[in-house]
Amino acid sequence: MGKDIIIKAANTVPSERQYNWQQMEFYAFAHFGINTFTNREWGKGDESPSLFNPTDFDAEQWVEAVKSAGMTGLILTAKHHDGFCLWPSKYTEHSVKNSPWKNGKGDVVKEVADACKKGGIKFGIYLSPWDRHEPTYGSGEEYNTFYKNQLRELMTNYGELFCLWFDGACGEGKNGKKQEYDWAGYYSLIRELQPGAVINICGPDVRWCGNEAGKCRESEWSVVPSSMVDNEKVAEKSQQEDDASFAKKVDSTDEDLGSRKVIEQASDCVWYPCEVDTSIRPGWFYHKNQDRKVKSLKKLIKIYESSVGGNASLLLNIPPDKKGRIADADVKRLKELGNYIKNTYSENLAKGAKANASECESDKVSANMALTDDKKEFWKPCDGTETAELTVDFGKTVKFSRMVLGEQILVGQRVEKFSIYAEKKGKWKNVFSGTVIGYKKICKFRKTKASKIKIVFERSRVCPTLSKLEVYR
């Protein structure tokens, strides 16, 4: 069983929607709603819609700010735990239709969806399963019908969605009872109406990294035991109100999710990749007293390179202010981050280089295939070759400090351990050692001069593959 499940894990691959999502890499969260105007993180559900009145709402400004950082999509909190809807839902009066904003004729969801489409980025929805305003919450089937009706509104009126993002927040309703969510029913409706959308966190497509501090594991496996798909459907694992210690927590018991040891003990495995979510500020909603507490550029760079460069995606929250705009401090930092990413990863020194490998299964998967821009091309040795080497000759001496590697995940995630060497005066010197690669691995090391580099795949499942090999200064 042990060997069979490892072979199965090596050949477990993403669905088309998961693969498309993986290529987005970095996208935004926008927490915006009644909490923006009450200075809270969690509303109680008794807030008057009259409080919602952004004076200079500009969704296109949001999109411009998000794009300046190099982000590819935006997820909007269409409804948070307070139950206030940012669209004129037919199923509740607790929404923008009863606010003074645009005389009750406004629709935040529509304006953000339209701005994303115009700006060329993807749009996603967060719809809190916990609704502290709705009287039917805690009733069971009646509330689940209400929730599905709201899901249907959002999935049929605002164009294509790339993501439906859920947390497992679950508190008592007005009747003193907790709601049992019909996750299977929610998923079925999403697959029917938005088949291309990934279902994140409390869903089967993308899992939560386990903290809100912007950290992922040193070895972040996309293939994990199938039992993990149900792990996040509980409040205590995905939401803790005002708990600073939780936001920094990485549970050591969950550190290893996909090693051989873990997979060998599993009855089955699935492709369930990781998303890292964190906020650019201490809070998730806008608070004026946090204008001076925006994460530093250095901190954001570290989060970006360790998450996007650690086989995860990065969901960075950018909360709009009471005017309905992204605050100046956030806009400035996003531009700085975008400039850093653009300047650092623009000139690939491996372009035009030549590659050779210790083994290639065929000419169609030769070593040079790892250097092309075609995401479908890749290098691969024969099945059963768990250790291999790939050498890149630049043809001249170059100076570099990082490499970006990527496996061909369309055939599976396989690399378990690897090292990078640079040739200096005829000798190979180790500059980096790592474990998993997955979709994308950013390897940073001291600035090095060399005319050749070598990647040694020290341990793999079935055999390693490589579809991305880029070198940067």
Side-chain angles (χ1 to χ4, degrees), residues 230-270:
D230 293 326
N231 278 7
E232 305 306 333
K233 296 176 185 175
V234 288
E236 52 272 10
K237 282 203 173 185
S238 63
Q239 291 284 302
Q240 293 284 332
E241 184 174 11
D242 301 327
D243 185 345
S245 64
F246 170 79
K248 297 175 182 176
K249 179 183 177 186
V250 179
D251 194 334
S252 60
T253 61
D254 294 332
E255 186 67 21
D256 180 4
L257 300 181
S259 70
R260 285 192 185 221
K261 181 180 178 181
V262 170
I263 293 297
E264 283 174 347
Q265 295 172 4
S267 59
D268 201 2
C269 54
V270 293

Short mmCIF file of all heavy atoms in Angstrom, two decimals, residues 230-270:
data_model
loop_
_atom_site.label_atom_id
_atom_site.label_comp_id
_atom_site.label_asym_id
_atom_site.label_seq_id
_atom_site.Cartn_x
_atom_site.Cartn_y
_atom_site.Cartn_z
N ASP A 230 -12.01 18.30 4.35
CA ASP A 230 -13.06 18.65 5.31
C ASP A 230 -12.53 19.39 6.55
O ASP A 230 -13.31 19.81 7.40
CB ASP A 230 -13.78 17.39 5.79
CG ASP A 230 -14.58 16.75 4.66
OD1 ASP A 230 -15.09 17.50 3.82
OD2 ASP A 230 -14.67 15.51 4.63
N ASN A 231 -11.22 19.58 6.63
CA ASN A 231 -10.64 20.12 7.86
C ASN A 231 -11.05 21.55 8.21
O ASN A 231 -11.10 21.92 9.37
CB ASN A 231 -9.10 20.08 7.78
CG ASN A 231 -8.56 18.71 8.13
OD1 ASN A 231 -9.31 17.77 8.31
ND2 ASN A 231 -7.25 18.60 8.23
N GLU A 232 -11.33 22.37 7.19
CA GLU A 232 -11.57 23.78 7.46
C GLU A 232 -13.04 24.14 7.64
O GLU A 232 -13.37 25.32 7.79
CB GLU A 232 -10.96 24.64 6.33
CG GLU A 232 -9.49 24.37 6.07
CD GLU A 232 -8.62 24.49 7.32
OE1 GLU A 232 -8.99 25.23 8.25
OE2 GLU A 232 -7.58 23.82 7.38
N LYS A 233 -13.91 23.17 7.67
CA LYS A 233 -15.33 23.49 7.77
C LYS A 233 -15.77 23.70 9.23
O LYS A 233 -16.84 23.29 9.65
CB LYS A 233 -16.17 22.36 7.16
CG LYS A 233 -15.93 22.20 5.66
CD LYS A 233 -16.72 21.01 5.16
CE LYS A 233 -16.41 20.73 3.70
NZ LYS A 233 -17.09 19.51 3.23
N VAL A 234 -14.90 24.34 10.00
CA VAL A 234 -15.22 24.63 11.39
C VAL A 234 -14.74 26.03 11.74
O VAL A 234 -13.73 26.49 11.23
CB VAL A 234 -14.56 23.61 12.35
CG1 VAL A 234 -15.25 22.26 12.27
CG2 VAL A 234 -13.08 23.46 12.07
N ALA A 235 -15.48 26.71 12.59
CA ALA A 235 -15.18 28.09 12.91
C ALA A 235 -13.82 28.26 13.58
O ALA A 235 -13.06 29.16 13.25
CB ALA A 235 -16.27 28.66 13.81
N GLU A 236 -13.52 27.39 14.55
CA GLU A 236 -12.33 27.62 15.34
C GLU A 236 -11.03 27.48 14.55
O GLU A 236 -9.99 27.96 14.98
CB GLU A 236 -12.28 26.69 16.56
CG GLU A 236 -12.46 25.21 16.25
CD GLU A 236 -13.93 24.79 16.24
OE1 GLU A 236 -14.80 25.67 16.29
OE2 GLU A 236 -14.20 23.58 16.18
N LYS A 237 -11.09 26.86 13.38
CA LYS A 237 -9.86 26.72 12.60
C LYS A 237 -9.68 27.84 11.57
O LYS A 237 -8.62 27.99 11.01
CB LYS A 237 -9.82 25.37 11.88
CG LYS A 237 -9.44 24.23 12.79
CD LYS A 237 -8.89 23.09 11.97
CE LYS A 237 -8.34 22.00 12.87
NZ LYS A 237 -7.70 20.92 12.11
N SER A 238 -10.72 28.60 11.30
CA SER A 238 -10.57 29.62 10.26
C SER A 238 -10.90 31.03 10.71
O SER A 238 -10.64 31.97 10.00
CB SER A 238 -11.46 29.27 9.06
OG SER A 238 -12.81 29.28 9.43
N GLN A 239 -11.48 31.18 11.88
CA GLN A 239 -11.82 32.52 12.36
C GLN A 239 -11.62 32.61 13.87
O GLN A 239 -12.10 31.76 14.61
CB GLN A 239 -13.29 32.86 12.05
CG GLN A 239 -13.58 33.03 10.57
CD GLN A 239 -13.08 34.34 10.05
OE1 GLN A 239 -13.46 35.41 10.51
NE2 GLN A 239 -12.22 34.28 9.06
N GLN A 240 -10.92 33.61 14.30
CA GLN A 240 -10.79 33.91 15.72
C GLN A 240 -10.86 35.43 15.86
O GLN A 240 -9.98 36.13 15.38
CB GLN A 240 -9.47 33.39 16.30
CG GLN A 240 -9.37 31.88 16.33
CD GLN A 240 -10.17 31.26 17.45
OE1 GLN A 240 -10.37 31.89 18.47
NE2 GLN A 240 -10.63 30.04 17.25
N GLU A 241 -11.88 35.94 16.51
CA GLU A 241 -12.07 37.38 16.59
C GLU A 241 -11.04 38.03 17.49
O GLU A 241 -10.85 37.63 18.64
CB GLU A 241 -13.47 37.70 17.11
CG GLU A 241 -13.76 39.20 17.12
CD GLU A 241 -15.20 39.49 17.51
OE1 GLU A 241 -15.89 38.58 17.95
OE2 GLU A 241 -15.60 40.65 17.36
N ASP A 242 -10.36 39.03 16.94
CA ASP A 242 -9.44 39.87 17.71
C ASP A 242 -8.41 39.05 18.49
O ASP A 242 -8.07 39.37 19.62
CB ASP A 242 -10.21 40.78 18.67
CG ASP A 242 -11.17 41.69 17.92
OD1 ASP A 242 -10.85 42.07 16.79
OD2 ASP A 242 -12.22 41.99 18.46
N ASP A 243 -7.91 37.98 17.91
CA ASP A 243 -6.96 37.13 18.60
C ASP A 243 -5.61 37.26 17.90
O ASP A 243 -5.33 36.61 16.90
CB ASP A 243 -7.43 35.67 18.57
CG ASP A 243 -6.53 34.76 19.39
OD1 ASP A 243 -5.42 35.19 19.73
OD2 ASP A 243 -6.96 33.63 19.67
N ALA A 244 -4.76 38.14 18.43
CA ALA A 244 -3.48 38.42 17.79
C ALA A 244 -2.58 37.20 17.77
O ALA A 244 -1.82 36.97 16.83
CB ALA A 244 -2.78 39.57 18.50
N SER A 245 -2.65 36.37 18.82
CA SER A 245 -1.80 35.19 18.87
C SER A 245 -2.17 34.21 17.76
O SER A 245 -1.32 33.54 17.17
CB SER A 245 -1.91 34.50 20.23
OG SER A 245 -3.23 34.02 20.44
N PHE A 246 -3.46 34.13 17.43
CA PHE A 246 -3.92 33.24 16.36
C PHE A 246 -3.34 33.69 15.02
O PHE A 246 -2.91 32.89 14.20
CB PHE A 246 -5.44 33.24 16.29
CG PHE A 246 -5.99 32.55 15.07
CD1 PHE A 246 -6.06 31.17 15.00
CD2 PHE A 246 -6.41 33.29 13.98
CE1 PHE A 246 -6.55 30.54 13.87
CE2 PHE A 246 -6.90 32.66 12.84
CZ PHE A 246 -6.98 31.29 12.80
N ALA A 247 -3.33 35.00 14.80
CA ALA A 247 -2.87 35.53 13.52
C ALA A 247 -1.41 35.18 13.26
O ALA A 247 -0.97 35.14 12.13
CB ALA A 247 -3.05 37.04 13.48
N LYS A 248 -0.65 34.90 14.32
CA LYS A 248 0.77 34.59 14.17
C LYS A 248 1.06 33.10 14.25
O LYS A 248 2.17 32.66 14.13
CB LYS A 248 1.57 35.32 15.25
CG LYS A 248 1.49 36.84 15.15
CD LYS A 248 2.21 37.49 16.32
CE LYS A 248 2.09 39.00 16.24
NZ LYS A 248 2.70 39.66 17.41
N LYS A 249 0.03 32.33 14.48
CA LYS A 249 0.21 30.91 14.78
C LYS A 249 0.44 30.06 13.54
O LYS A 249 -0.24 30.20 12.54
CB LYS A 249 -1.02 30.40 15.52
CG LYS A 249 -0.97 28.92 15.88
CD LYS A 249 -2.27 28.51 16.55
CE LYS A 249 -2.28 27.03 16.85
NZ LYS A 249 -3.57 26.59 17.37
N VAL A 250 1.44 29.20 13.61
CA VAL A 250 1.61 28.12 12.64
C VAL A 250 1.66 26.85 13.46
O VAL A 250 2.61 26.61 14.19
CB VAL A 250 2.89 28.29 11.81
CG1 VAL A 250 3.04 27.14 10.83
CG2 VAL A 250 2.89 29.61 11.07
N ASP A 251 0.64 26.06 13.40
CA ASP A 251 0.52 24.88 14.25
C ASP A 251 1.54 23.82 13.83
O ASP A 251 1.48 23.31 12.71
CB ASP A 251 -0.90 24.32 14.14
CG ASP A 251 -1.21 23.31 15.23
OD1 ASP A 251 -0.26 22.68 15.74
OD2 ASP A 251 -2.40 23.15 15.56
N SER A 252 2.45 23.51 14.74
CA SER A 252 3.52 22.58 14.40
C SER A 252 2.97 21.19 14.06
O SER A 252 3.59 20.43 13.32
CB SER A 252 4.52 22.47 15.56
OG SER A 252 3.87 22.01 16.73
N THR A 253 1.81 20.86 14.61
CA THR A 253 1.25 19.53 14.31
C THR A 253 0.78 19.45 12.87
O THR A 253 0.60 18.36 12.34
CB THR A 253 0.06 19.22 15.24
OG1 THR A 253 -0.97 20.20 15.03
CG2 THR A 253 0.48 19.25 16.70
N ASP A 254 0.58 20.58 12.24
CA ASP A 254 0.14 20.61 10.83
C ASP A 254 1.28 21.00 9.89
O ASP A 254 1.06 21.31 8.73
CB ASP A 254 -1.01 21.61 10.65
CG ASP A 254 -2.27 21.18 11.37
OD1 ASP A 254 -2.47 19.97 11.55
OD2 ASP A 254 -3.04 22.06 11.77
N GLU A 255 2.50 21.01 10.39
CA GLU A 255 3.63 21.45 9.58
C GLU A 255 3.88 20.53 8.40
O GLU A 255 4.24 20.97 7.31
CB GLU A 255 4.89 21.55 10.46
CG GLU A 255 6.10 22.14 9.76
CD GLU A 255 5.95 23.60 9.41
OE1 GLU A 255 5.12 24.29 10.02
OE2 GLU A 255 6.67 24.06 8.49
N ASP A 256 3.71 19.25 8.59
CA ASP A 256 3.95 18.27 7.54
C ASP A 256 2.61 17.75 7.04
O ASP A 256 1.92 17.00 7.72
CB ASP A 256 4.80 17.13 8.10
CG ASP A 256 5.10 16.07 7.04
OD1 ASP A 256 4.71 16.25 5.87
OD2 ASP A 256 5.73 15.05 7.40
N LEU A 257 2.25 18.14 5.83
CA LEU A 257 0.96 17.74 5.29
C LEU A 257 1.07 16.73 4.15
O LEU A 257 0.08 16.10 3.80
CB LEU A 257 0.20 18.97 4.78
CG LEU A 257 -0.12 20.07 5.79
CD1 LEU A 257 -0.90 21.18 5.12
CD2 LEU A 257 -0.88 19.52 6.98
N GLY A 258 2.27 16.60 3.56
CA GLY A 258 2.32 15.77 2.35
C GLY A 258 3.58 14.97 2.14
O GLY A 258 3.83 14.51 1.02
N SER A 259 4.39 14.77 3.18
CA SER A 259 5.61 13.98 3.02
C SER A 259 5.27 12.52 2.76
O SER A 259 4.12 12.09 2.88
CB SER A 259 6.47 14.08 4.28
OG SER A 259 5.84 13.37 5.36
N ARG A 260 6.27 11.73 2.41
CA ARG A 260 6.05 10.29 2.20
C ARG A 260 5.43 9.66 3.45
O ARG A 260 4.54 8.83 3.35
CB ARG A 260 7.37 9.59 1.88
CG ARG A 260 7.86 9.87 0.47
CD ARG A 260 8.99 8.95 0.11
NE ARG A 260 9.52 9.30 -1.21
CZ ARG A 260 9.89 8.41 -2.13
NH1 ARG A 260 9.77 7.13 -1.88
NH2 ARG A 260 10.36 8.82 -3.29
N LYS A 261 5.95 10.05 4.60
CA LYS A 261 5.48 9.48 5.85
C LYS A 261 3.98 9.72 6.03
O LYS A 261 3.23 8.83 6.42
CB LYS A 261 6.25 10.09 7.02
CG LYS A 261 5.85 9.56 8.39
CD LYS A 261 6.67 10.21 9.49
CE LYS A 261 6.23 9.71 10.85
NZ LYS A 261 7.01 10.36 11.94
N VAL A 262 3.54 10.95 5.72
CA VAL A 262 2.12 11.30 5.86
C VAL A 262 1.28 10.59 4.80
O VAL A 262 0.23 10.02 5.09
CB VAL A 262 1.93 12.83 5.78
CG1 VAL A 262 0.45 13.20 5.69
CG2 VAL A 262 2.56 13.51 6.99
N ILE A 263 1.74 10.63 3.55
CA ILE A 263 0.97 10.05 2.44
C ILE A 263 0.84 8.53 2.60
O ILE A 263 -0.21 7.95 2.32
CB ILE A 263 1.61 10.40 1.09
CG1 ILE A 263 1.50 11.91 0.81
CG2 ILE A 263 0.96 9.62 -0.05
CD1 ILE A 263 0.10 12.44 0.67
N GLU A 264 1.90 7.89 3.07
CA GLU A 264 1.88 6.43 3.23
C GLU A 264 0.84 5.97 4.26
O GLU A 264 0.37 4.84 4.21
CB GLU A 264 3.26 5.93 3.63
CG GLU A 264 4.23 5.88 2.46
CD GLU A 264 5.65 5.53 2.88
OE1 GLU A 264 5.95 5.57 4.09
OE2 GLU A 264 6.46 5.24 1.97
N GLN A 265 0.47 6.86 5.17
CA GLN A 265 -0.52 6.52 6.18
C GLN A 265 -1.94 6.88 5.75
O GLN A 265 -2.90 6.60 6.47
CB GLN A 265 -0.18 7.24 7.49
CG GLN A 265 1.14 6.79 8.10
CD GLN A 265 1.56 7.63 9.29
OE1 GLN A 265 0.83 8.52 9.72
NE2 GLN A 265 2.74 7.37 9.82
N ALA A 266 -2.07 7.51 4.59
CA ALA A 266 -3.38 7.96 4.10
C ALA A 266 -4.05 6.88 3.26
O ALA A 266 -3.37 6.08 2.61
CB ALA A 266 -3.24 9.24 3.29
N SER A 267 -5.38 6.87 3.27
CA SER A 267 -6.11 5.92 2.43
C SER A 267 -6.24 6.43 1.00
O SER A 267 -6.40 5.66 0.06
CB SER A 267 -7.50 5.66 3.02
OG SER A 267 -8.23 6.87 3.11
N ASP A 268 -6.16 7.75 0.84
CA ASP A 268 -6.27 8.35 -0.49
C ASP A 268 -5.65 9.74 -0.43
O ASP A 268 -5.40 10.29 0.65
CB ASP A 268 -7.73 8.44 -0.93
CG ASP A 268 -7.89 8.57 -2.44
OD1 ASP A 268 -6.86 8.55 -3.15
OD2 ASP A 268 -9.03 8.71 -2.91
N CYS A 269 -5.39 10.34 -1.59
CA CYS A 269 -4.80 11.67 -1.63
C CYS A 269 -5.46 12.50 -2.72
O CYS A 269 -6.07 11.98 -3.65
CB CYS A 269 -3.29 11.59 -1.86
SG CYS A 269 -2.80 10.63 -3.31
N VAL A 270 -5.35 13.81 -2.59
CA VAL A 270 -5.97 14.74 -3.53
C VAL A 270 -5.03 15.90 -3.81
O VAL A 270 -4.11 16.18 -3.03
CB VAL A 270 -7.30 15.32 -2.97
CG1 VAL A 270 -8.36 14.26 -2.86
CG2 VAL A 270 -7.08 16.02 -1.63
#
